[in-house]
Amino acid sequence: MRLILLSIQWGVFILAGSVVAPIAIGNAFHLSLSEIAGFLQRSLFVIGIASLLQVFFGHRLPIAEGPAGLWWGVFMIFAGAASAMNIKSQVMLQSLQMGVFISGICFLLMSATKMIHTIKKIFTPLVTGTYLFLLIAQLSGPFVKGILGIGYFIPQIDGRVAVPALATLIVTAGLAKSSYPKLRSFSILYGIIFGWILFAVLGITKPINMTVNHWVEWPEILVWGRPVFDISVVITAIITAVLLLSNLIASIEVVQKFLGEQTPVDYNRAGLVMGINQILASLFCTMGFVPVSTSVGFISTTKIKEKLPFIIGSSLVLGISFFPPITLLVASLPVPVGYATTFLAFTHLIVLALKEYGTVLHDDNQLLIIAVSLMVGIGSMFVPAEALRHLPGYLISLLNNGLILGVLTCILLEQGLKIKANRDL
């Protein structure tokens, strides 16, 4: 029974982190309800396969796959660009489909040439700490807005949503800090059940009115049509692939350290599998996925370190993707409940970031690098997207992402100072 509950909780965690992005992107491209449901179904299918491929053949760690924040941003940016330039949503989606495929090829090439090991040396505790700090800074806005009910029914703070969401957060946090291991280990699962029931009792869940034609259905390939070549999307995809290496490496680093794994990870193999996963995402017409750093927060909160529950949980997500009625049920999970129940897991990333910084706080130069990197990263998060619309698409996707800008700033400053120090010797 314990194994079943642990596996379900892993599956629920993966689902909770995967539902919002497809729905948001579908709405941005003005897809119909049935098209959004299909998008979600295909996303869950690829996420399940990607998680299993990585745990068996890639990094071999219990790290959940999830929508890459950078790809999420790229899709949203080009959705706006399509509307502004009167390009059909279908054509833009076909171009993005090609972009995701190109990013997969880039990962295969980087792995085949063993470039990933070289890039890994750049990710020092300073860079990893900056990555984690900026990641939570970028995610904190959507989390707080989601819990307060902003955008769920109305564009303002909605008390009828915020109060039960905050109650769900408090219950989940209380369970996570319980002295009873069974409550502590299943805190997120119990929190979701509590929140979902509470929202249903208060009548603030969003029903999905859609007729299901088939109980079992295989996710379709190339539903958007043949990929279309667009130079701005291709350039953006290449840059995105390189920048996603930071996500891949940082996720592996933090989970490996937390688990105390002594077996070295083959980063080239992990990159190879990630390339395969990106190509699968392109074939099944979804966004790109990446191992998510928040897995360490989930593991820390639930104390689940075994691989088997993760494997079964990932298989559960894969299995759900074949059943449209279950997919629709999952899609009906209130977004504020998802944010509330995973809030505490995300806060553990700040703790990990501070621990990484703790190893370098004695050096004034490194303190300066931290300050400048955080200033650049967090500051750029407040630059409105409208101010960048006149720039090429590949620059927009870079300059509109504070996480990537901050990490790149940290890498350039640290490596620059190292080169200067070596020359002065």
Side-chain angles (χ1 to χ4, degrees):
M1 179 58 70
R2 178 179 180 274
L3 176 61
I4 294 174
L5 291 176
L6 290 175
S7 302
I8 291 174
Q9 186 164 246
W10 255 120
V12 170
F13 173 75
I14 297 172
L15 289 172
S18 307
V19 171
V20 178
I23 295 174
I25 291 174
N27 286 321
F29 278 97
H30 310 293
L31 300 182
S32 67
L33 184 59
S34 61
E35 289 173 327
I36 292 175
F39 191 7
L40 177 58
Q41 179 198 20
R42 297 191 303 274
S43 297
L44 296 180
F45 175 76
V46 176
I47 286 171
I49 290 181
S51 297
L52 292 173
L53 286 177
Q54 282 288 10
V55 75
F56 282 118
F57 307 108
H59 49 62
R60 297 185 177 178
L61 295 171
I63 308 176
E65 292 281 323
L70 190 54
W71 269 122
W72 187 352
V74 168
F75 269 72
M76 297 299 284
I77 288 168
F78 279 100
S83 177
M85 295 184 291
N86 293 320
I87 299 174
K88 290 183 178 180
S89 295
Q90 181 77 13
V91 175
M92 185 57 76
L93 286 171
Q94 289 171 307
S95 299
L96 288 166
Q97 182 182 350
M98 172 65 83
V100 175
F101 182 82
I102 293 294
S103 73
I105 297 299
C106 288
F107 268 100
L108 295 182
L109 292 175
M110 287 187 287
S111 300
T113 56
K114 301 189 182 300
M115 285 178 58
I116 293 180
H117 276 295
T118 302
I119 296 173
K120 177 183 176 295
K121 295 177 182 178
I122 299 174
F123 285 82
T124 62
L126 196 67
V127 176
T128 303
T130 299
Y131 170 83
L132 291 171
F133 204 97
L134 290 175
L135 177 63
I136 200 65
Q138 191 160 336
L139 291 173
S140 59
F143 263 78
V144 173
K145 290 179 181 178
I147 292 173
L148 294 179
I150 299 174
Y152 188 63
F153 287 123
I154 59 176
Q156 297 87 28
I157 294 177
D158 192 344
R160 59 177 178 160
V161 176
V163 171
L166 287 171
T168 302
L169 170 58
I170 292 170
V171 168
T172 305
L175 292 172
K177 297 300 180 181
S178 172
S179 57
Y180 297 98
K182 290 185 178 181
L183 291 178
R184 190 169 59 244
S185 296
F186 307 114
S187 58
I188 293 178
L189 176 59
Y190 294 152
I192 286 178
I193 294 173
F194 170 82
W196 205 336
I197 292 175
L198 182 59
F199 269 59
V201 170
L202 295 176
I204 51 177
T205 56
K206 288 184 176 181
I208 297 181
N209 299 316
M210 175 182 161
T211 303
V212 178
N213 296 323
H214 304 285
W215 283 91
V216 180
E217 189 173 79
W218 177 269
E220 295 182 57
I221 296 177
L222 301 177
V223 294
W224 294 336
R226 297 178 62 182
V228 173
F229 183 88
D230 183 299
I231 185 61
S232 63
V233 174
V234 170
I235 293 174
T236 300
I238 294 172
I239 295 174
T240 299
V242 175
L243 297 181
L244 281 178
L245 276 178
S246 65
N247 200 320
L248 174 67
I249 294 171
S251 296
I252 293 174
E253 288 278 351
V254 295
V255 173
Q256 189 178 30
K257 287 180 182 178
F258 182 81
L259 294 177
E261 288 281 345
Q262 301 299 319
T263 305
V265 172
D266 189 331
Y267 286 87
N268 286 310
R269 189 174 60 207
L272 180 67
V273 173
M274 186 166 175
I276 294 172
N277 291 340
Q278 298 290 304
I279 292 173
L280 283 174
S282 173
L283 292 175
F284 284 94
C285 297
T286 69
M287 76 195 81
F289 302 103
V290 68
V292 292
S293 305
T294 50
S295 296
V296 73
F298 174 81
I299 296 170
S300 176
T301 302
T302 60
K303 312 302 179 187
I304 306 173
K305 295 185 178 182
E306 307 98 310
K307 290 183 184 178
L308 184 57
F310 171 77
I311 293 171
I312 297 175
S314 299
S315 302
L316 179 64
V317 173
L318 176 61
I320 286 174
S321 69
F322 292 102
F323 299 93
I326 300 179
T327 303
L328 287 175
L329 177 64
V330 170
S332 68
L333 170 70
V335 175
V337 172
Y339 282 128
T341 52
T342 55
F343 184 88
L344 192 63
F346 277 81
T347 60
H348 281 278
L349 296 180
I350 298 179
V351 177
L352 293 172
L354 294 176
K355 286 181 178 180
E356 292 288 336
Y357 280 156
T359 63
V360 297
L361 291 180
H362 59 279
D363 189 295
D364 288 341
N365 284 333
Q366 292 182 322
L367 286 174
L368 179 62
I369 293 173
I370 292 173
V372 173
S373 301
L374 294 181
M375 189 75 170
V376 170
I378 296 175
S380 61
M381 294 177 189
F382 293 91
V383 177
E386 293 77 13
L388 304 174
R389 283 186 176 176
H390 65 287
L391 298 174
Y394 62 91
L395 279 181
I396 294 176
S397 64
L398 175 62
L399 298 177
N400 200 38
N401 193 298
L403 169 64
I404 299 303
L405 274 181
V407 171
L408 286 178
T409 300
C410 184
I411 291 172
L412 292 174
L413 288 176
E414 185 177 30
Q415 295 303 315
L417 287 177
K418 284 183 179 180
I419 293 173
K420 182 180 181 299
N422 291 333
R423 286 179 178 176
D424 292 340
L425 292 177

